Amino acid sequence: MRKRNSTSAPEICTRGRLVGFFIAALLACPHVRATNYDESKAGVYTLPDPLVLQNGEPVRDATTWFNLRRPEILKLYQENIHGRSPPRPAEMTFQVFDEDRHALGGQAIRKQVTINFFGPAGGPKTDLLIYLPAHAPGPVPVFLCLSFNPIDQVASDPAIRLETSWDRKTLTQHPDTEQDRGHAKNWPIEKIISRGYGLAVIYYCDIEPDLPGGAGLKYGVRAHYLKAGQAEPAPDEWGAVAAWAWGLSRGLDYLETDRDVDRKHVIALGQSRLGKTVLWAGAQDTRFALVVASCSGEMGAALSRRDYGETVDDMVRTFPYQFSANFRSYAHHWNDLPVDSHLLISLIAPRPLFLNTGSLDLWSDPRGEFLAAVAAGPVYKLLGGEGLGTAEMPPLDTPVMRGLIGFHCHTGKHEILVSDWDKFLDFADLHLKGKN
């Protein structure tokens, strides 16, 4: 496999002009290759070595990893996959508009916070819903989650402000009603609170609406950074996944100011495309103490070089807006990718990571996620810890928590089950509270 060096500005421009050709050719292709679900046909591939610098020199110590190799990998993702993201806006503000220290029958503290990304004058904003244990002796660790549903749908609590939902079919917003309260599934708030953790939730479409063809761009945070006359981000600038990850970090910015929150123990959690998002958020933002990525699949934790389930071609054809424009040139050229998902996982090292999958979610390639976790193990070992701790994929419903990488494949579909939360909480107990 040829090696790819850092991309210069002229090369970025050239690739930008070629991107349109690649995506147009892919979309116009009369034959779409059938999805492979046969393990014997997953193909033969060679993964980039996480412990070899681009100049061919080996990485033998933590100093070389953090000073040279990790920045190399991060830059490759920025240039070829997710694009460059801007820093925290200086004008961002927080407004706590609700606080009830006797919520849920006295068991929880509920807070609602408006995050004005670019100040109160206008522009995209989001409401952050927070539940914390009411009787905790001190600040508590918090699961900071991106949700597919507005916050009023996370719980039936009538005090939660009714929000607006985006409709992917009509490309429009509509206000939620009383009937929408608690509509979202699998948010076991009482269980999380009883285990001594808080829950904080952001509706991801507040950051950028997830609309077909990238139609949500003009309503989201990325539009704020477009220059005069610029209709879309430059080829090496951020896609929607990076925007959602950026928004999650803005939620962390608030939590760091909350005296009821253990700011050093905030956990990023997401499902499906939001699983991809929290992996990228954890890779970029080392303030996240632990990452839980569920069913993240292609361009998440599953290996891209494996021809199984969803592929790079599928992502480029269906969800090109989720990534930088440069990523589209890798359609039909998977082995030219300078990175693969084990390198994304390695960017989280030595922090703990839990991968959750489903036995019926073959599209997301559970085995591909497991193999990526195995391949990231040498980085965790170099940094003084243990990664997955096994090369044998475990039986269904049997979580692996031997090392700093946890893995679990539940019997079921592409979703987070209520029972999965027991595993998330156990893994957090092990690594954040030192419980066995």
Side-chain angles (χ1 to χ4, degrees):
M1 188 190 77
R2 67 185 178 88
K3 296 180 181 178
R4 184 184 299 271
N5 295 320
S6 298
T7 309
S8 66
E11 288 170 332
I12 289 174
C13 294
T14 300
R15 289 186 60 187
R17 290 192 292 270
L18 291 175
V19 159
F21 169 79
F22 281 116
I23 187 65
L26 182 65
L27 293 174
C29 182
H31 174 70
V32 177
R33 187 180 54 80
T35 302
N36 174 52
Y37 293 119
D38 184 342
E39 192 64 41
S40 68
K41 298 179 181 178
V44 177
Y45 50 85
T46 300
L47 296 177
D49 192 327
L51 296 180
V52 174
L53 295 168
Q54 286 183 282
N55 64 8
E57 294 295 322
V59 178
R60 302 188 188 278
D61 53 66
T63 299
T64 306
W65 168 260
F66 285 114
N67 290 346
L68 297 178
R69 183 55 172 156
R70 189 182 188 279
E72 276 187 352
I73 297 172
L74 188 64
K75 186 176 181 181
L76 287 171
Y77 267 95
Q78 290 169 336
E79 292 180 342
N80 298 279
I81 310 295
H82 290 299
R84 295 176 286 105
S85 301
R88 168 180 172 164
E91 65 270 31
M92 184 174 66
T93 62
F94 309 123
Q95 178 191 0
V96 180
F97 64 87
D98 169 60
E99 181 172 342
D100 183 353
R101 304 191 77 84
H102 302 281
L104 302 182
Q107 296 303 304
I109 300 168
R110 184 194 63 246
K111 299 182 184 183
Q112 297 180 75
V113 182
T114 297
I115 302 175
N116 296 290
F117 295 122
F118 307 109
K125 62 182 179 180
T126 189
D127 286 343
L128 177 65
L129 172 66
I130 305 170
Y131 283 104
L132 305 166
H135 307 296
V140 298
V142 172
F143 285 87
L144 176 57
C145 311
L146 287 173
S147 171
F148 288 105
N149 303 82
I151 59 172
D152 59 86
Q153 299 184 24
V154 171
S156 299
D157 189 340
I160 302 174
R161 180 155 73 184
L162 290 174
E163 304 281 336
T164 58
S165 299
W166 278 94
D167 189 321
R168 286 178 56 83
K169 294 182 180 179
T170 64
L171 309 185
T172 59
Q173 279 183 297
H174 62 81
D176 282 1
T177 67
E178 292 296 329
Q179 287 69 41
D180 292 308
R181 291 194 184 278
H183 176 74
K185 299 179 181 179
N186 302 343
W187 293 101
I189 298 172
E190 290 80 5
K191 175 185 289 189
I192 297 168
I193 296 297
S194 70
R195 294 283 295 268
Y197 292 85
L199 176 71
V201 182
I202 294 173
Y203 178 39
Y204 82 128
C205 284
D206 286 345
I207 304 165
E208 177 172 317
D210 186 10
L211 304 180
L217 170 65
K218 62 182 179 181
Y219 304 107
V221 296
R222 287 193 295 160
H224 181 84
Y225 291 94
L226 294 177
K227 300 175 182 178
Q230 188 179 6
E232 60 183 24
D236 66 332
E237 291 178 333
W238 54 342
V241 166
W244 299 327
W246 179 92
L248 193 69
S249 286
R250 306 291 73 81
L252 178 54
D253 291 337
Y254 167 75
L255 292 178
E256 288 191 319
T257 72
D258 194 315
R259 290 180 295 177
D260 294 317
V261 173
D262 181 352
R263 59 181 292 178
K264 297 297 184 182
H265 289 144
V266 176
I267 303 157
L269 183 146
Q271 155 75 12
S272 191
R273 65 194 61 186
L274 302 182
K276 307 181 204 304
T277 300
V278 297
L279 285 168
W280 182 231
Q284 290 192 108
D285 193 339
T286 58
R287 294 177 300 167
F288 286 109
L290 189 152
V291 175
V292 178
S294 179
C295 303
S296 61
E298 183 65 37
M299 301 318 299
L303 290 173
S304 294
R305 283 166 169 76
R306 254 175 68 88
D307 185 2
Y308 192 98
E310 189 174 29
T311 67
V312 170
D313 295 358
D314 295 313
M315 296 301 299
V316 169
R317 182 176 61 253
T318 310
F319 304 112
Y321 64 93
Q322 292 185 7
F323 308 94
S324 71
N326 278 343
F327 170 64
R328 304 170 195 174
S329 65
Y330 292 104
H332 305 310
H333 300 279
W334 313 344
N335 285 325
D336 285 343
L337 278 166
V339 294
D340 213 318
S341 59
H342 66 305
L343 297 184
L344 180 60
I345 292 172
S346 76
L347 291 175
I348 296 172
R351 291 165 292 148
L353 166 68
F354 193 87
L355 301 178
N356 188 60
T357 68
S359 63
L360 301 179
D361 188 18
L362 300 183
W363 180 249
S364 294
D365 189 12
R367 181 174 291 276
E369 293 197 18
F370 178 82
L371 293 174
V374 172
V379 177
Y380 278 84
K381 183 177 181 180
L382 178 77
L383 301 180
E386 185 175 23
L388 199 56
T390 180
E392 297 294 329
M393 190 162 177
L396 296 181
D397 306 306
T398 307
V400 173
M401 299 188 189
R402 300 176 186 176
L404 291 167
I405 303 177
F407 180 86
H408 173 241
C409 186
H410 63 236
T411 300
K413 301 178 181 179
H414 182 79
E415 61 182 333
I416 294 178
L417 305 176
V418 171
S419 59
D420 291 337
W421 274 97
D422 292 315
K423 284 73 175 179
F424 304 162
L425 291 162
D426 288 346
F427 191 71
D429 275 353
L430 180 64
H431 295 290
L432 301 187
K433 295 185 177 182
K435 295 183 179 180
N436 190 340

